[in-house]
Short mmCIF file of all heavy atoms in Angstrom, two decimals:
data_model
loop_
_atom_site.label_atom_id
_atom_site.label_comp_id
_atom_site.label_asym_id
_atom_site.label_seq_id
_atom_site.Cartn_x
_atom_site.Cartn_y
_atom_site.Cartn_z
N CYS A 1 232.29 132.70 185.72
CA CYS A 1 232.76 134.09 185.66
C CYS A 1 231.56 135.01 185.78
O CYS A 1 231.30 135.81 184.90
CB CYS A 1 233.56 134.36 184.40
SG CYS A 1 232.68 133.90 182.90
N GLY A 2 230.82 134.86 186.85
CA GLY A 2 229.62 135.65 187.08
C GLY A 2 228.35 134.88 186.84
O GLY A 2 227.33 135.14 187.47
N GLY A 3 228.37 133.93 185.93
CA GLY A 3 227.19 133.14 185.65
C GLY A 3 227.53 131.72 185.25
O GLY A 3 228.59 131.45 184.68
N ARG A 4 226.62 130.82 185.54
CA ARG A 4 226.77 129.41 185.18
C ARG A 4 225.38 128.84 184.96
O ARG A 4 224.39 129.56 185.06
CB ARG A 4 227.50 128.65 186.29
CG ARG A 4 226.80 128.73 187.63
CD ARG A 4 227.63 128.18 188.76
NE ARG A 4 227.01 128.41 190.05
CZ ARG A 4 227.63 128.31 191.22
NH1 ARG A 4 228.91 127.99 191.25
NH2 ARG A 4 226.98 128.54 192.34
N SER A 5 225.27 127.57 184.68
CA SER A 5 223.97 126.96 184.45
C SER A 5 223.33 126.54 185.77
O SER A 5 223.99 126.45 186.80
CB SER A 5 224.12 125.74 183.53
OG SER A 5 224.98 124.79 184.15
N ILE A 6 222.01 126.30 185.71
CA ILE A 6 221.28 125.78 186.87
C ILE A 6 221.15 124.28 186.68
O ILE A 6 220.36 123.82 185.84
CB ILE A 6 219.89 126.45 186.99
CG1 ILE A 6 220.04 127.97 187.11
CG2 ILE A 6 219.14 125.90 188.19
CD1 ILE A 6 218.71 128.72 187.13
N ASP A 7 221.88 123.51 187.44
CA ASP A 7 222.01 122.09 187.13
C ASP A 7 220.73 121.29 187.30
O ASP A 7 220.57 120.23 186.70
CB ASP A 7 223.14 121.46 187.95
CG ASP A 7 222.98 121.69 189.44
OD1 ASP A 7 221.90 122.15 189.86
OD2 ASP A 7 223.94 121.40 190.19
N TYR A 8 219.78 121.79 188.09
CA TYR A 8 218.58 120.99 188.31
C TYR A 8 217.45 121.30 187.32
O TYR A 8 216.39 120.69 187.39
CB TYR A 8 218.08 121.12 189.76
CG TYR A 8 217.56 122.48 190.15
CD1 TYR A 8 216.25 122.85 189.87
CD2 TYR A 8 218.37 123.38 190.82
CE1 TYR A 8 215.77 124.09 190.24
CE2 TYR A 8 217.90 124.62 191.20
CZ TYR A 8 216.60 124.97 190.91
OH TYR A 8 216.12 126.20 191.28
N LEU A 9 217.66 122.26 186.43
CA LEU A 9 216.66 122.55 185.40
C LEU A 9 217.07 121.89 184.09
O LEU A 9 218.23 121.96 183.67
CB LEU A 9 216.49 124.06 185.22
CG LEU A 9 215.91 124.80 186.42
CD1 LEU A 9 215.74 126.27 186.11
CD2 LEU A 9 214.59 124.20 186.87
N GLN A 10 216.09 121.28 183.43
CA GLN A 10 216.36 120.47 182.26
C GLN A 10 217.00 121.29 181.13
O GLN A 10 216.52 122.35 180.75
CB GLN A 10 215.05 119.85 181.76
CG GLN A 10 215.22 118.74 180.75
CD GLN A 10 213.89 118.08 180.44
OE1 GLN A 10 213.16 118.52 179.56
NE2 GLN A 10 213.58 117.02 181.16
N SER A 11 218.13 120.76 180.60
CA SER A 11 218.84 121.32 179.45
C SER A 11 219.44 122.69 179.72
O SER A 11 219.73 123.44 178.78
CB SER A 11 217.91 121.41 178.22
OG SER A 11 217.38 120.15 177.91
N SER A 12 219.63 123.05 181.00
CA SER A 12 220.27 124.33 181.30
C SER A 12 221.67 124.36 180.72
O SER A 12 222.41 123.37 180.81
CB SER A 12 220.34 124.54 182.81
OG SER A 12 220.97 125.76 183.13
N GLN A 13 222.05 125.50 180.11
CA GLN A 13 223.36 125.57 179.46
C GLN A 13 223.84 127.01 179.36
O GLN A 13 223.06 127.95 179.34
CB GLN A 13 223.30 124.98 178.05
CG GLN A 13 222.36 125.73 177.12
CD GLN A 13 222.25 125.10 175.73
OE1 GLN A 13 222.55 123.93 175.55
NE2 GLN A 13 221.81 125.89 174.77
N CYS A 14 225.14 127.18 179.32
CA CYS A 14 225.76 128.46 179.05
C CYS A 14 226.57 128.33 177.76
O CYS A 14 227.05 127.25 177.42
CB CYS A 14 226.69 128.88 180.20
SG CYS A 14 225.82 129.24 181.75
N GLY A 15 226.72 129.44 177.02
CA GLY A 15 227.44 129.37 175.76
C GLY A 15 228.12 130.67 175.42
O GLY A 15 227.87 131.70 176.05
N ALA A 16 228.99 130.63 174.43
CA ALA A 16 229.71 131.83 174.00
C ALA A 16 228.80 132.74 173.19
O ALA A 16 227.98 132.29 172.40
CB ALA A 16 230.92 131.42 173.16
N ALA A 17 228.94 134.04 173.39
CA ALA A 17 228.08 135.01 172.71
C ALA A 17 228.60 135.32 171.32
O ALA A 17 229.81 135.39 171.11
CB ALA A 17 228.01 136.29 173.52
N PRO A 18 227.72 135.53 170.35
CA PRO A 18 228.16 136.01 169.04
C PRO A 18 228.63 137.46 169.14
O PRO A 18 228.39 138.14 170.13
CB PRO A 18 226.89 135.89 168.19
CG PRO A 18 225.78 135.97 169.18
CD PRO A 18 226.27 135.32 170.44
N ASN A 19 229.26 137.93 168.11
CA ASN A 19 229.85 139.27 168.13
C ASN A 19 228.82 140.38 168.24
O ASN A 19 229.10 141.45 168.79
CB ASN A 19 230.71 139.49 166.88
CG ASN A 19 231.92 138.59 166.86
OD1 ASN A 19 232.46 138.25 167.92
ND2 ASN A 19 232.35 138.19 165.67
N ASN A 20 227.63 140.16 167.74
CA ASN A 20 226.64 141.24 167.67
C ASN A 20 225.54 141.12 168.72
O ASN A 20 224.48 141.69 168.55
CB ASN A 20 226.01 141.26 166.28
CG ASN A 20 225.27 139.96 165.96
OD1 ASN A 20 225.45 138.97 166.67
ND2 ASN A 20 224.45 139.97 164.92
N TRP A 21 225.75 140.39 169.78
CA TRP A 21 224.68 140.20 170.75
C TRP A 21 224.46 141.46 171.57
O TRP A 21 225.38 142.21 171.86
CB TRP A 21 224.97 139.00 171.63
CG TRP A 21 226.02 139.23 172.69
CD1 TRP A 21 227.36 139.31 172.51
CD2 TRP A 21 225.79 139.39 174.10
NE1 TRP A 21 227.99 139.51 173.70
CE2 TRP A 21 227.05 139.57 174.70
CE3 TRP A 21 224.65 139.41 174.90
CZ2 TRP A 21 227.21 139.75 176.07
CZ3 TRP A 21 224.80 139.59 176.26
CH2 TRP A 21 226.08 139.76 176.83
N ASN A 22 223.22 141.68 171.97
CA ASN A 22 222.82 142.85 172.76
C ASN A 22 222.55 142.41 174.19
O ASN A 22 221.63 141.63 174.45
CB ASN A 22 221.57 143.50 172.15
CG ASN A 22 221.14 144.75 172.89
OD1 ASN A 22 220.69 144.69 174.03
ND2 ASN A 22 221.30 145.90 172.25
N GLN A 23 223.35 142.92 175.10
CA GLN A 23 223.26 142.48 176.50
C GLN A 23 221.89 142.75 177.10
O GLN A 23 221.30 141.87 177.73
CB GLN A 23 224.34 143.18 177.33
CG GLN A 23 224.22 142.94 178.83
CD GLN A 23 225.27 143.71 179.61
OE1 GLN A 23 226.40 143.85 179.15
NE2 GLN A 23 224.89 144.22 180.77
N GLU A 24 221.36 143.95 176.92
CA GLU A 24 220.11 144.32 177.57
C GLU A 24 218.95 143.45 177.10
O GLU A 24 218.13 142.99 177.91
CB GLU A 24 219.81 145.79 177.31
CG GLU A 24 218.56 146.30 178.03
CD GLU A 24 218.35 147.77 177.84
OE1 GLU A 24 219.25 148.44 177.30
OE2 GLU A 24 217.27 148.26 178.22
N SER A 25 218.85 143.21 175.79
CA SER A 25 217.73 142.43 175.27
C SER A 25 217.81 140.97 175.69
O SER A 25 216.80 140.28 175.77
CB SER A 25 217.67 142.53 173.76
OG SER A 25 218.80 141.93 173.16
N ARG A 26 219.00 140.48 175.98
CA ARG A 26 219.17 139.06 176.31
C ARG A 26 218.66 138.72 177.71
O ARG A 26 218.42 137.56 178.01
CB ARG A 26 220.64 138.65 176.19
CG ARG A 26 221.19 138.68 174.77
CD ARG A 26 220.75 137.47 173.94
NE ARG A 26 219.40 137.53 173.45
CZ ARG A 26 219.00 138.19 172.37
NH1 ARG A 26 219.86 138.90 171.67
NH2 ARG A 26 217.75 138.17 171.99
N GLU A 27 218.48 139.71 178.57
CA GLU A 27 218.00 139.40 179.92
C GLU A 27 216.56 138.92 179.92
O GLU A 27 216.12 138.30 180.88
CB GLU A 27 218.17 140.62 180.83
CG GLU A 27 219.62 140.94 181.13
CD GLU A 27 219.78 141.87 182.32
OE1 GLU A 27 219.14 141.61 183.36
OE2 GLU A 27 220.53 142.84 182.21
N CYS A 28 215.81 139.21 178.87
CA CYS A 28 214.43 138.74 178.78
C CYS A 28 214.21 137.89 177.53
O CYS A 28 213.07 137.53 177.22
CB CYS A 28 213.46 139.91 178.79
SG CYS A 28 213.27 140.68 180.41
N GLN A 29 215.27 137.59 176.81
CA GLN A 29 215.14 136.75 175.61
C GLN A 29 216.44 135.96 175.44
O GLN A 29 217.45 136.47 174.97
CB GLN A 29 214.87 137.60 174.37
CG GLN A 29 214.57 136.76 173.13
CD GLN A 29 214.21 137.63 171.94
OE1 GLN A 29 213.99 138.82 172.07
NE2 GLN A 29 214.15 137.02 170.76
N ALA A 30 216.38 134.69 175.82
CA ALA A 30 217.57 133.86 175.78
C ALA A 30 217.81 133.25 174.41
O ALA A 30 218.92 132.79 174.12
CB ALA A 30 217.48 132.75 176.83
N THR A 31 216.79 133.20 173.58
CA THR A 31 216.93 132.61 172.24
C THR A 31 216.54 133.64 171.19
O THR A 31 215.74 134.53 171.44
CB THR A 31 216.04 131.36 172.09
OG1 THR A 31 214.67 131.74 172.30
CG2 THR A 31 216.42 130.29 173.09
N ASP A 32 217.11 133.48 169.99
CA ASP A 32 216.83 134.41 168.90
C ASP A 32 217.03 133.68 167.58
O ASP A 32 218.13 133.25 167.26
CB ASP A 32 217.78 135.61 168.97
CG ASP A 32 217.45 136.66 167.92
OD1 ASP A 32 216.37 136.57 167.31
OD2 ASP A 32 218.28 137.55 167.71
N GLY A 33 215.93 133.52 166.85
CA GLY A 33 216.03 132.85 165.56
C GLY A 33 216.54 131.43 165.65
O GLY A 33 217.24 130.95 164.76
N GLY A 34 216.21 130.76 166.73
CA GLY A 34 216.65 129.38 166.92
C GLY A 34 218.01 129.26 167.58
O GLY A 34 218.43 128.15 167.94
N ASN A 35 218.71 130.38 167.79
CA ASN A 35 220.02 130.35 168.46
C ASN A 35 219.83 130.55 169.96
O ASN A 35 219.18 131.52 170.39
CB ASN A 35 220.93 131.45 167.91
CG ASN A 35 221.21 131.26 166.43
OD1 ASN A 35 221.46 130.15 165.98
ND2 ASN A 35 221.16 132.37 165.68
N ALA A 36 220.39 129.67 170.75
CA ALA A 36 220.30 129.78 172.21
C ALA A 36 221.55 130.47 172.74
O ALA A 36 222.66 129.95 172.60
CB ALA A 36 220.16 128.40 172.83
N TYR A 37 221.36 131.65 173.29
CA TYR A 37 222.48 132.36 173.91
C TYR A 37 222.82 131.73 175.27
O TYR A 37 223.97 131.67 175.67
CB TYR A 37 222.12 133.83 174.10
CG TYR A 37 221.97 134.58 172.80
CD1 TYR A 37 220.75 134.65 172.15
CD2 TYR A 37 223.06 135.21 172.22
CE1 TYR A 37 220.62 135.34 170.95
CE2 TYR A 37 222.94 135.90 171.03
CZ TYR A 37 221.71 135.96 170.39
OH TYR A 37 221.58 136.64 169.21
N TYR A 38 221.79 131.31 175.97
CA TYR A 38 221.96 130.61 177.24
C TYR A 38 220.61 130.00 177.59
O TYR A 38 219.60 130.26 176.93
CB TYR A 38 222.41 131.57 178.35
CG TYR A 38 221.36 132.59 178.76
CD1 TYR A 38 220.56 132.41 179.88
CD2 TYR A 38 221.17 133.76 178.01
CE1 TYR A 38 219.60 133.34 180.24
CE2 TYR A 38 220.21 134.69 178.36
CZ TYR A 38 219.43 134.48 179.48
OH TYR A 38 218.48 135.40 179.84
N LYS A 39 220.58 129.19 178.60
CA LYS A 39 219.32 128.62 179.09
C LYS A 39 219.43 128.45 180.59
O LYS A 39 220.20 127.63 181.08
CB LYS A 39 219.03 127.27 178.41
CG LYS A 39 217.65 126.73 178.71
CD LYS A 39 217.34 125.47 177.90
CE LYS A 39 215.92 124.98 178.16
NZ LYS A 39 215.60 123.78 177.35
N TYR A 40 218.68 129.28 181.33
CA TYR A 40 218.63 129.24 182.78
C TYR A 40 219.99 129.59 183.39
O TYR A 40 220.78 128.72 183.74
CB TYR A 40 218.15 127.88 183.30
CG TYR A 40 216.89 127.39 182.64
CD1 TYR A 40 216.76 126.08 182.20
CD2 TYR A 40 215.81 128.25 182.43
CE1 TYR A 40 215.61 125.63 181.60
CE2 TYR A 40 214.66 127.80 181.81
CZ TYR A 40 214.57 126.49 181.39
OH TYR A 40 213.42 126.06 180.77
N ALA A 41 220.24 130.88 183.54
CA ALA A 41 221.49 131.36 184.11
C ALA A 41 221.43 131.35 185.63
O ALA A 41 220.38 131.59 186.23
CB ALA A 41 221.79 132.78 183.61
N ASN A 42 222.58 131.10 186.24
CA ASN A 42 222.69 130.99 187.69
C ASN A 42 223.85 131.87 188.14
O ASN A 42 224.97 131.73 187.64
CB ASN A 42 222.95 129.54 188.08
CG ASN A 42 222.76 129.29 189.56
OD1 ASN A 42 222.31 130.17 190.29
ND2 ASN A 42 223.10 128.09 190.00
N GLY A 43 223.60 132.79 189.06
CA GLY A 43 224.66 133.67 189.53
C GLY A 43 225.70 132.92 190.33
O GLY A 43 225.38 131.99 191.09
N VAL A 44 226.95 133.32 190.19
CA VAL A 44 228.06 132.69 190.93
C VAL A 44 228.23 133.32 192.30
O VAL A 44 228.33 132.64 193.31
CB VAL A 44 229.36 132.79 190.12
CG1 VAL A 44 230.55 132.30 190.96
CG2 VAL A 44 229.26 132.00 188.83
#
């Protein structure tokens, strides 16, 4: 739905966002406090 994982990069994954996530900050920070929002996003 706009984004998916990059299958050739190790451990690439997509996941559900928590209620308080900030879209703008996530474009340059995929992890926060040990929580992975995503890893290596791929446009659809």
